[in-house]
Amino acid sequence: MKSGHMISRRGFCLCCMGTATFAATGGWMSPREAYAEARGLVSLIKDSAAQAKIVTHRLRDNVSILEGSGGNVAVLSGRDGLVMVDAGISVSRHQMTKALSAISPQPVTHLINTHWHFDHSDGNPWIGAGGAEIIAHENTRKYLSQVKRVEDWDYNFLPLVQTGLPGRVFSKEHSVKLNGQSLTLKHYRSAHT
Ligand SMILES: [Zn+2]
């Protein structure tokens, strides 16, 4: 019930989940409870993403949002190929591929990760293996390269395989011109993403 509520949240995120869990239980859980909850939730979120339909929202010009697999995914299409902002969850690969090819037959050439949370980066390996260059803040690569412990959950996220790791990183700011647009990636200290 609790989990169902959280999964249905738009723009679901690890950090939102901590707050939602806190609100839903009306107080702090013991470490053992938090651990059980986290393990259950990670599997639930993955199971849910495996079933979820990906809904495409066309915004304007060549920008779309794909909703249904973890965090929302932005897609910029054009002559340079598809540029994705965040990767969703890997079990959604089939539906994600379908949604992407409905936007354009071109391959994904670039993937930008907003942050390391698994609902935004779990799909990195299949997208990277398909030839996309992955761009992110240096801390995102650092956290995706190692066992990342989420203390509040008493939970360890495992490192991604090599193909899923960002190959291009920046520390403060990074600009790219793709598909006729200038994209500016900026690091905001102490921010979620
Ligand atoms: Zn997050």
Side-chain angles (χ1 to χ4, degrees):
M1 170 77 182
K2 236 179 333 189
S3 314
H5 169 69
M6 281 178 265
I7 286 161
S8 70
R9 282 171 68 104
R10 226 178 147 145
F12 158 83
C13 230
L14 279 177
C15 293
C16 307
M17 193 145 88
T19 315
T21 303
F22 179 79
T25 56
W28 298 109
M29 291 181 291
S30 72
R32 187 180 294 273
E33 283 167 343
Y35 180 66
E37 184 93 355
R39 284 193 71 87
L41 282 174
V42 170
S43 324
L44 266 171
I45 290 157
K46 288 188 176 176
D47 290 352
S48 160
Q51 311 288 328
K53 197 169 170 263
I54 302 288
V55 180
T56 302
H57 302 275
R58 300 256 178 186
L59 300 187
R60 62 176 182 181
D61 300 333
N62 47 351
V63 180
S64 300
I65 292 289
L66 306 184
E67 190 183 6
S69 176
N72 288 342
V73 173
V75 182
L76 174 70
S77 60
R79 59 164 192 257
D80 298 322
L82 293 175
V83 179
M84 293 175 75
V85 179
D86 286 339
I89 296 171
S90 60
V91 289
S92 304
R93 177 180 181 165
H94 179 69
Q95 299 94 308
M96 191 69 87
T97 306
K98 247 170 66 178
L100 290 169
S101 49
I103 294 173
S104 160
Q106 287 190 290
V108 179
T109 53
H110 297 81
L111 164 64
I112 297 165
N113 283 138
T114 56
H115 61 307
W116 71 271
H117 284 166
F118 89 104
D119 50 323
H120 298 257
S121 62
D122 190 62
N124 275 24
W126 73 264
I127 298 165
E133 180 176 31
I134 306 177
I135 309 168
H137 186 263
E138 58 193 9
N139 286 342
T140 299
R141 178 163 70 187
K142 182 172 127 188
Y143 296 146
L144 291 176
S145 307
Q146 64 193 29
V147 175
K148 185 71 179 91
R149 180 157 182 79
V150 175
E151 210 55 60
D152 283 354
W153 289 19
D154 191 21
Y155 190 85
N156 296 318
F157 285 92
L158 297 178
L160 289 185
V161 295
Q162 190 68 31
T163 50
L165 297 177
R168 201 200 304 185
V169 295
F170 66 96
S171 64
K172 284 184 180 157
E173 194 171 315
H174 184 67
S175 294
V176 277
K177 282 190 192 299
L178 290 166
N179 294 332
Q181 304 286 343
S182 296
L183 310 178
T184 304
L185 286 58
K186 203 166 175 174
H187 175 59
Y188 291 92
R189 287 181 64 84
S190 307
H192 178 162
T193 172

